[in-house]
Amino acid sequence: MKTGLVLEGGGMRGLYTIGVLDYFMSQNFWADYVIGVSAGACNGISYLSRQPGRNFRVNTQYIGDKRYLSLQSYLKTGSLFGMDFIFRELPTQLDPIDFEAFTQNPCEFVVGLTHVKTGQPAYFGKQPTLEEECLLLQASSSLPIFSPQVNFQGENYLDGGTSDPIPFAKALADGCDRVVVVLTRERGYVKQPEKYRPIYRRVFSKSPGMVACLDRRHQVYNRELEELAQLEREGRALVIAPETPLGIDRFEKDQGKLTKAFEQGMEDARKALESPWWQQTK
């Protein structure tokens, strides 16, 4: 049975996902396939390289560093998150990714992006070098309006969560028999239409596909939640999600709140692996 692990994005709400993944590693639960978008993809790479604790360190020890997340970064680079710092310096020097372990891991790894010209999702597997893999993660994490577009293999891309926020359908299409889906929004959450429509219509005036993608984003997200609920009822999906709002947003810098989200993820992962669904299908 091929088990897929699907990781939603959400910026700093991803501390919840980090807690889930660290608990999975502590229990030697290793999926056959991992797909993520934005922060979900960034957290997934440390799962494949089998480096528990790495993502927690990266997202808490450096959160006060202006190179990581700051208005100064936005004014200097056009991105609130310091992309060069996060996707170059951190994974290669300050807290290196074990890229050899990542590449040798037989688990499939897929990162979702959004093609700026068409507004459609695009998916990429493992890359041959750490530099290319990090560029892929950067593209998937580049928020429309808040980050510049990223050129990857000759095309421009942005945040993968914009076009396919919970990519379980891709996991099933790639042969997964069941999926474990980690959400960073609470159960019962309903996404509202995007804000700043006049701004993004102007920013993407030459990319009507991207404007249309942002216009329908809430509809795609809510439809995917409905489809995921049906998979749960059919016994094909195990969903791990906060029961109540995490109380943090994608730009959160309070270490106490971030740590609490991490600990909640750990606890919810424990409950999930002890659930009747998991015990019957493992």
Side-chain angles (χ1 to χ4, degrees):
M1 180 174 288
K2 183 176 180 179
T3 301
L5 181 56
V6 181
L7 307 175
E8 181 185 18
M12 302 312 293
R13 291 195 306 273
L15 265 294
Y16 178 84
T17 303
I18 294 169
V20 172
L21 296 180
D22 275 15
Y23 186 81
F24 282 174
M25 286 189 272
S26 75
Q27 300 301 305
N28 288 311
F29 164 54
W30 306 105
D32 305 299
Y33 173 105
V34 174
I35 184 169
V37 294
S38 195
C42 295
N43 294 329
I45 194 170
S46 293
Y47 173 78
L48 268 80
S49 63
R50 300 194 176 191
Q51 291 178 276
R54 179 183 175 276
N55 280 117
F56 182 78
R57 293 192 303 270
V58 166
N59 284 276
T60 56
Q61 291 184 10
Y62 297 97
I63 193 63
D65 193 313
K66 293 180 180 179
R67 296 172 296 173
Y68 188 98
L69 173 61
S70 66
L71 180 60
Q72 290 92 327
S73 174
Y74 184 76
L75 295 174
K76 183 178 180 180
T77 69
S79 174
L80 283 170
F81 287 98
M83 295 303 193
D84 282 342
F85 181 69
I86 294 172
F87 295 105
R88 314 278 187 271
E89 191 170 349
L90 272 170
T92 63
Q93 301 175 37
L94 299 178
D95 206 326
I97 293 170
D98 188 341
F99 192 65
E100 182 178 1
F102 169 78
T103 55
Q104 291 181 355
N105 191 327
C107 178
E108 297 175 58
F109 185 62
V110 178
V111 178
L113 311 181
T114 298
H115 191 276
V116 173
K117 184 176 181 179
T118 65
Q120 295 299 311
Y123 309 96
F124 294 87
K126 290 181 179 178
Q127 299 302 302
T129 68
L130 178 58
E131 180 182 11
E132 290 171 282
E133 192 68 49
C134 287
L135 184 61
L136 186 62
L137 295 175
Q138 178 183 340
S140 186
S141 303
S142 294
L143 303 174
I145 301 175
F146 295 103
S147 301
Q149 300 172 28
V150 175
N151 188 277
F152 184 76
Q153 298 183 355
E155 299 286 341
N156 286 348
Y157 296 97
L158 284 169
D159 174 27
T162 307
S163 56
D164 189 7
I166 316 171
F168 58 85
K170 174 63 174 172
L172 297 174
D174 284 346
C176 292
D177 301 292
R178 62 178 183 173
V179 289
V180 177
V181 182
V182 184
L183 304 179
T184 59
R185 291 290 193 182
E186 70 278 6
R187 287 185 178 273
Y189 174 78
V190 177
K191 192 167 187 62
Q192 301 301 312
E194 288 295 305
K195 301 177 181 178
Y196 315 119
R197 191 169 190 268
I199 298 176
Y200 69 69
R201 286 191 67 185
R202 184 172 67 251
V203 170
F204 299 109
S205 60
K206 296 182 179 180
S207 303
M210 192 68 201
V211 174
C213 174
L214 288 164
D215 282 346
R216 64 175 178 264
R217 185 180 185 183
H218 65 293
Q219 297 170 336
V220 172
Y221 189 90
N222 294 331
R223 185 184 70 245
E224 289 188 341
L225 286 178
E226 292 175 1
E227 294 171 354
L228 186 56
Q230 180 60 34
L231 287 176
E232 276 192 288
R233 289 190 289 269
E234 294 172 0
R236 300 180 64 196
L238 173 65
V239 177
I240 303 175
E243 290 298 327
T244 58
L246 290 172
I248 59 179
D249 62 26
R250 64 175 63 249
F251 303 122
E252 184 63 62
K253 299 182 74 171
D254 186 308
Q255 289 201 24
K257 292 182 179 180
L258 296 174
T259 299
K260 184 177 179 181
F262 169 82
E263 292 172 345
Q264 185 175 341
M266 290 271 287
E267 176 61 15
D268 288 352
R270 181 191 65 78
K271 293 178 181 177
L273 293 191
E274 293 177 356
S275 68
W277 183 93
W278 183 255
Q279 296 300 317
Q280 292 169 8
T281 61
K282 69 179 181 178

